Amino acid sequence: MNINLLRHCAGRVLPLLLTGVVMAAALPSTGAEPLRYVKYVNPMIGAGGHGHVFVGASVPFGSIQLGPTNINKGWDWCSGYHYSDSIVFSFSHNHLSGTGCADLGDVGIMPFTGALRSGRGQQNNIEGSVAAKYRHANEKVAPGYYSVKLDNGISAELTATTHVGMHHYVYPAVSGHRMIIDLVDDINGNVYESYIRKVDDYTVEGFRFVHAWTPLRKTFFYARFNQKIKQLDTYSVDAHVGQDELQSARVKGVVTFDDNVSDVMVKVALSSVSCEGAKKNMDAELPGWDFQATLAAAQSKWDKELSCIDVTGTPEQKTIFYTALYHTMIYPCIYADVDGSFRGMDDKVYTGNSWQNYTVFSTWDTYRALHPLYTIIERDRVPDMINSFLSIYDQNGKLPIWPLYAGETNCMPGYSSVPIIADAYLKGIRGYDADRALRYMVSTATNPEQRGISLLMKYGYIPADKLGEATSVSLEYAADDWGLALIAKRMGHDDIYRTFIKRGHAYEQYWDKRINKIHPKMADGSWYEPYDLYTAEHHGGVGDFTEGNGWQYTFMVPQDPVGLIAVNGGDKAFIENLDSLFVAKGSLGENAAPDVSGLVGMYSHGNEPAHHMPYLYVYAGAQWKTAARVRSLQEQFYRNDPDGYCGNEDCGQMSAWHILSALGFYQVTPSQGVYSFGSPLFRSAVIRLPGGKTFTVKAPANSSRNIYIRSAKLNGKNYTKSYITYDDIMRGGVLEFTMSSRPNRSFGAAPKDRPTVAQ
């Protein structure tokens, strides 16, 4: 997603090698068991360019993302950190990862020395502020760990548990050893109430309430120091007020230590419920002060989570792969205290839950690859994610679109939690109330307050002259509705099935046979003219698309590739049309959405609606074309470099595409459990499944030249299909590809060997 969405949304580690290829950082020595997978993760991949990834310390799916926060200078600072920067004003406790809108940065901690002060500073002038300059040569970052030696001589290192951030600061031998607790300055917020209080000589607590991209976020904190607090000064914005306690709209507190105290640790726990909840989180997870043990535990959690897939490849390939896998495990994150309580979108506290609550679901992005990946490698978490969706409906009256903490951003078209639920159900994943889920899906899909739904129900499509970005909104609903239809059919609700499978065909209403492309349509049934297939300049007006153009949305029919081939006029015409997508040349417009990026012709790998398109060839019997295109995209757009992603990482989706594609398959159709073959990247990849089973993908002759599948075997038997089912994978076994430098055009070409579409 991009800046254009803002109108929709209201020295223990060796330095990174920063010349040439960036390698994964060496890990701090903790004395724990050797780590097999964490050593390949380079969290700086995607920290530059438009990747927008989180850089800092966390544990898998943890509530805390503790890391450096730069002064926000625009879109590329959505996560709070960008590789081009050199100034940090705080180490704050939550950061988004890969998004196109900015938010979070709660409870900033910043050590400083000298005179008492509280100002954040400006990018071109940090004199007299708490901010400090730094250099990448003095940064060290690995899963669960971040450290930097600031130019002012202060050393910082960070680690985390699920709910607690742990800081360690060493001051130089100068006077005035201080630390600010900043409840005002964050990444993109509007604080409307905040509070700080010195509890005792070692403890401070408080809260900050914010309206930002998310309409509501209430964050309570509990901070405990290992050194005695000499003094706590309070500020309203940057005006000194007093000491020990203050409540106002914009509060900061400055902790002062004795000058002979040079080594300070602080633990900060967060809660959406209360300061007492934050304290309980700390007491449960981090009662002691052993930084190394805490770091070792964080690294161990990461290594265990990353062990779900074991690949055989070069160090460079493994670094790119395991970093991508790491990026799929930052978000969504746990949004509940250790006792399960959390604050809902109705500002009520929910307690007594038998499931784990999650938040930060970029569903428009992640329904395409991330959640289908989770059904394989994180199957046990999927029911709780769905229960989180259902709880959001109870709080908010509809299933989530882009939920962020205690708010619904309503960002992006569609109701993309629907295909996520349908996909899980149709794959046999349970652990939630399926009847309730279906009711909520139907209610959301027929809610007249949902963007464009009343128009869709009236016309059978959304007219371009009635709603901005109408065509892309309608196409997203069609993909969602298809999954709703299939789950209804499986549950025996034929009336619901008939309604929504018809809506799933809404793309046909936009098909203009004269140009063999999707074409925005007016309420009177006429085509919108003049129609420019190339422009990606959008202002919410007639004929606009969401973050894309007519070329890209022509193929945004992941739910029904077979039907898309038919409206094209058959295999040959479809392949020619799809070929043209990758070579078409034209102007996106001077003010095109910046994340219509990663262009190959008009194909945009930097934005999610295109991600399934290289795999569409498989449905037309040309699997070899998919193999060539996928391998090319892998090599071009996934690099071991700060600018290693061609677009927003989007909470794991960009990475999930790489992971699935590297394994050799990808789920094109939402909610159908069919994975089309591409071009496996490794000679061997072992997926660890529940119950001790494994699914192994072998491609012994794989190389940079041997990119084509010549033939395949499944569990030792010849396998002629160009796809594999979810059930095949989850039963465990061995899929073996014979690779070649020349395409076998007959592999998967027969209609019986192609993936079909469930209707």
Side-chain angles (χ1 to χ4, degrees):
M1 294 176 301
N2 66 23
I3 196 169
N4 202 38
L5 296 181
L6 296 177
R7 58 188 172 84
H8 294 307
C9 314
R12 303 188 185 191
V13 187
L14 295 176
L16 296 173
L17 302 177
L18 297 174
T19 57
V21 173
V22 180
M23 301 301 293
L27 293 167
S29 175
T30 62
E33 293 183 8
L35 302 170
R36 295 182 58 194
Y37 305 96
V38 165
K39 63 184 178 181
Y40 291 111
V41 176
N42 175 11
M44 286 297 188
I45 294 177
H50 299 322
H52 299 183
V53 301
F54 161 65
V55 172
S58 67
V59 296
F61 304 98
S63 294
I64 297 292
Q65 304 86 36
L66 174 59
T69 305
N70 306 140
I71 297 170
N72 191 339
K73 288 170 285 301
W75 185 52
D76 281 329
W77 279 259
C78 283
S79 74
Y81 176 98
H82 194 264
Y83 195 78
S84 65
D85 215 318
S86 60
I87 294 174
V88 59
F89 74 85
S90 78
F91 299 100
S92 55
H93 289 80
N94 47 25
H95 295 76
L96 291 171
S97 186
T99 60
C101 291
D103 208 332
L104 306 186
D106 286 320
V107 189
I109 301 291
M110 188 67 189
F112 65 98
T113 59
L116 197 63
R117 58 193 187 275
S118 69
R120 184 200 69 177
Q122 302 298 321
Q123 188 68 22
N124 58 356
N125 182 15
I126 60 171
E127 289 296 320
S129 75
V130 301
K133 291 187 176 182
Y134 65 95
R135 290 167 285 171
H136 293 306
N138 293 328
E139 286 184 296
K140 294 92 179 176
V141 58
Y145 183 78
Y146 175 88
S147 75
V148 63
K149 185 171 183 179
L150 302 171
D151 287 3
N152 61 16
I154 297 175
S155 294
E157 60 178 353
L158 315 171
T159 191
T161 67
T162 299
H163 294 89
V164 187
M166 193 173 199
H167 309 239
H168 178 209
Y169 300 113
V170 178
Y171 294 85
V174 296
S175 62
H177 294 178
R178 311 184 197 276
M179 193 179 301
I180 192 168
I181 303 175
D182 190 344
L183 306 181
V184 178
D185 301 307
D186 57 14
I187 295 168
N188 188 36
N190 181 15
V191 181
Y192 66 89
E193 192 67 22
S194 51
Y195 172 71
I196 197 167
R197 179 176 79 95
K198 179 182 174 183
V199 177
D200 57 40
D201 285 345
Y202 295 89
T203 311
V204 175
E205 67 179 13
F207 60 75
R208 71 189 305 260
F209 300 163
V210 182
H211 296 308
W213 179 29
T214 183
L216 175 66
R217 187 171 74 256
K218 292 186 175 180
T219 303
F220 298 84
F221 75 92
Y222 189 82
R224 187 174 290 153
F225 298 84
N226 73 331
Q227 301 287 358
K228 186 176 181 179
I229 300 170
K230 179 180 180 181
Q231 183 173 303
L232 173 67
D233 287 86
T234 60
Y235 292 77
S236 179
V237 190
D238 293 319
H240 188 272
V241 174
Q243 293 182 342
D244 293 347
E245 186 173 16
L246 179 65
Q247 181 170 346
S248 76
R250 299 164 72 81
V251 169
K252 297 179 183 180
V254 175
V255 174
T256 299
F257 306 99
D258 282 329
D259 282 349
N260 63 356
V261 173
S262 61
D263 191 310
V264 178
M265 299 176 72
V266 56
K267 302 178 293 186
V268 181
L270 301 187
S271 167
S272 68
V273 176
S274 65
C275 294
E276 180 61 26
K279 180 179 183 298
K280 288 180 180 179
N281 291 339
M282 183 181 293
D283 291 345
E285 289 185 359
L286 195 55
W289 290 100
D290 192 331
F291 187 94
Q292 291 291 73
T294 306
L295 172 58
Q299 292 178 356
S300 178
K301 286 182 179 180
W302 276 114
D303 214 58
K304 181 180 179 181
E305 210 72 32
L306 295 170
S307 72
C308 62
I309 305 175
D310 189 89
V311 301
T312 301
T314 67
E316 179 82 353
Q317 288 175 324
K318 293 172 82 169
T319 294
I320 295 170
F321 182 85
Y322 283 108
T323 302
L325 194 57
Y326 163 80
H327 282 142
T328 69
M329 297 171 178
I330 296 172
Y331 282 116
C333 72
I334 291 170
Y335 177 59
D337 290 348
V338 291
D339 63 3
S341 59
F342 64 91
R343 186 174 302 275
M345 292 184 180
D346 52 6
D347 202 20
K348 296 178 181 177
V349 174
Y350 288 78
T351 61
N353 305 299
S354 60
W355 43 273
Q356 180 66 264
N357 191 54
Y358 288 84
T359 189
V360 190
F361 289 97
S362 182
T363 65
W364 180 82
D365 305 291
T366 58
Y367 85 87
R368 307 169 197 271
L370 181 67
H371 287 278
L373 175 65
Y374 283 164
T375 63
I376 299 173
I377 66 170
E378 296 287 351
R379 185 180 168 111
D380 291 346
R381 294 185 191 270
V382 173
D384 283 347
M385 293 180 186
I386 294 175
N387 281 314
S388 301
F389 291 171
L390 303 183
S391 177
I392 287 172
Y393 182 99
D394 292 335
Q395 303 158 31
N396 198 39
K398 64 179 182 181
L399 289 171
I401 297 172
W402 214 123
L404 177 57
Y405 286 64
E408 172 58 76
T409 69
N410 288 309
C411 211
M412 307 311 296
Y415 28 75
S416 301
S417 55
V418 166
I420 295 170
I421 298 170
D423 187 49
Y425 181 85
L426 294 166
K427 288 174 174 174
I429 298 174
R430 300 295 185 265
Y432 51 89
D433 186 335
D435 291 328
R436 175 170 159 238
L438 180 61
R439 290 197 309 272
Y440 289 3
M441 293 163 80
V442 172
S443 174
T444 300
T446 55
N447 185 343
E449 296 182 5
Q450 183 83 13
R451 184 182 178 196
I453 288 296
S454 59
L455 295 168
L456 177 60
M457 295 174 72
K458 177 179 178 180
Y459 292 94
Y461 65 97
I462 303 178
D465 51 341
K466 298 291 185 180
L467 184 74
E469 304 178 356
T471 309
S472 44
V473 174
S474 188
L475 290 172
E476 284 292 345
Y477 285 153
D480 302 339
D481 289 339
W482 199 280
L484 201 168
L486 295 182
I487 188 175
K489 184 178 184 180
R490 178 73 62 86
M491 295 176 70
H493 296 278
D494 290 342
D495 52 339
I496 297 174
Y497 164 76
R498 287 190 295 270
T499 295
F500 287 97
I501 201 69
K502 181 179 179 181
R503 282 175 43 165
H505 282 275
Y507 69 92
E508 296 172 359
Q509 300 277 353
Y510 295 108
W511 194 261
D512 185 349
K513 293 184 178 180
R514 301 170 305 166
I515 58 173
N516 233 23
K517 301 289 186 296
I518 289 287
H519 194 154
K521 197 173 188 179
M522 310 294 274
D524 63 5
S526 63
W527 298 115
Y528 161 69
E529 299 291 358
Y531 179 38
D532 182 352
L533 276 166
Y534 293 89
T535 183
E537 294 186 279
H538 308 305
H539 311 284
V542 177
D544 280 355
F545 292 94
T546 304
E547 295 186 10
N549 62 20
W551 272 103
Q552 292 141 22
Y553 275 93
T554 286
F555 301 95
M556 220 314 286
V557 188
Q559 77 279 13
D560 188 19
V562 173
L564 182 61
I565 291 169
V567 299
N568 269 266
D571 294 343
K572 185 175 184 295
F574 175 75
I575 290 172
E576 289 176 353
N577 205 8
L578 187 55
D579 280 346
S580 67
L581 171 70
F582 293 98
V583 297
K585 296 188 182 301
S587 174
L588 298 176
E590 291 184 4
N591 297 309
D595 63 349
V596 183
S597 59
L599 287 173
V600 179
M602 282 293 109
Y603 171 81
S604 171
H605 194 72
N607 214 20
E608 281 67 21
H611 276 185
H612 68 284
M613 295 175 192
Y615 287 89
L616 291 175
Y617 288 111
V618 176
Y619 288 81
Q623 191 282 329
W624 65 276
K625 281 183 171 283
T626 287
R629 184 58 61 192
V630 166
R631 185 65 74 94
S632 174
L633 293 170
Q634 293 268 43
E635 293 174 353
Q636 186 173 356
F637 294 131
Y638 292 88
R639 304 187 312 277
N640 185 14
D641 185 88
D643 193 9
Y645 293 148
C646 62
N648 301 161
E649 206 279 329
D650 279 314
C651 296
Q653 169 61 26
M654 194 73 68
S655 293
W657 188 94
H658 173 74
I659 293 162
L660 288 169
S661 295
L663 294 174
F665 46 74
Y666 186 89
Q667 181 172 306
V668 172
T669 52
S671 317
Q672 296 189 45
V674 174
Y675 293 78
S676 299
F677 290 158
S679 177
L681 194 60
F682 302 108
R683 295 187 176 186
S684 175
V686 180
I687 306 171
R688 295 185 173 91
L689 302 171
K693 294 183 290 186
T694 61
F695 185 79
T696 302
V697 181
K698 292 184 176 180
N702 203 347
S703 70
S704 59
R705 286 175 49 82
N706 294 343
I707 66 173
Y708 297 103
I709 298 173
R710 181 178 176 184
S711 61
K713 289 183 178 181
L714 181 61
N715 298 325
K717 297 180 180 180
N718 289 336
Y719 191 79
T720 59
K721 294 178 172 58
S722 57
Y723 66 92
I724 192 168
T725 68
Y726 175 78
D727 290 341
D728 287 333
I729 295 170
M730 300 308 289
R731 276 192 290 267
V734 179
L735 174 65
E736 184 168 354
F737 293 114
T738 299
M739 306 299 291
S740 174
S741 62
R742 296 182 179 180
N744 177 3
R745 300 179 187 226
S746 65
F747 179 75
K752 67 180 179 63
D753 290 329
R754 306 176 192 178
T756 57
V757 172
Q759 294 214 44

